[in-house]
Amino acid sequence: QVQLVESGGGLVQAGGSLRLSCAASGRTFSSNTMGWFRQPPGREREFVEGISWSGRIYYADSVKGRFTVSRDNAKNTVYLQMNSLKPEDTAVYYCATTSKGIPPTYLGDNDYWGQGTQVTVSS
């Protein structure tokens, strides 16, 4: 079993920055695929950015150049640095992981997920 705990969400003005953290515990692997997803109000969950088991980074076009994912294997933690935030970035942000060798875009309900952290960007 793997447990994921997100933190770092909050309220920020447009143009501001936040850094989300996702701490993993339990049976963890430094080579796990890790991904960040978000669910805006009234909409379906969508992929944001992630790191595959091989170290390749994937990101959604909507966050290109603004968000950066990174990981600290010694701390079993993955981060999402979010800059130039926009009101449309408002959502509950989730991290997810799997030991399967798949890209983070393929993370699904059968993988491990955190409880989510709210990010609200005011205009």
Side-chain angles (χ1 to χ4, degrees):
Q1 287 288 347
V2 176
Q3 295 80 42
L4 302 174
V5 178
E6 301 98 334
S7 61
L11 174 64
V12 64
Q13 289 187 335
S17 298
L18 284 174
R19 189 177 80 155
L20 305 183
S21 299
C22 175
S25 61
R27 187 181 181 189
T28 58
F29 305 92
S30 61
S31 59
N32 267 27
T33 285
M34 304 289 296
W36 286 97
F37 291 73
R38 66 186 181 188
Q39 186 165 17
R43 293 169 57 184
E44 294 186 352
R45 188 175 66 199
E46 61 187 26
F47 172 74
V48 177
E49 191 158 349
I51 303 177
S52 75
W53 62 276
S54 64
R56 179 178 173 180
I57 293 177
Y58 296 72
Y59 53 84
D61 287 342
S62 59
V63 304
K64 182 180 179 180
R66 299 189 299 122
F67 291 11
T68 303
V69 66
S70 62
R71 67 193 300 167
D72 184 337
N73 290 331
K75 297 182 178 180
N76 283 332
T77 300
V78 64
Y79 304 97
L80 185 67
Q81 178 67 44
M82 306 186 295
N83 299 327
S84 302
L85 282 162
K86 305 175 182 180
E88 51 263 45
D89 295 318
T90 294
V92 178
Y93 283 71
Y94 300 90
C95 67
T97 189
T98 181
S99 59
K100 295 177 287 187
I102 60 173
T105 50
Y106 285 89
L107 286 161
D109 292 342
N110 292 328
D111 297 308
Y112 297 101
W113 292 79
Q115 83 290 347
T117 185
Q118 177 71 46
V119 172
T120 303
V121 184
S122 63
S123 58

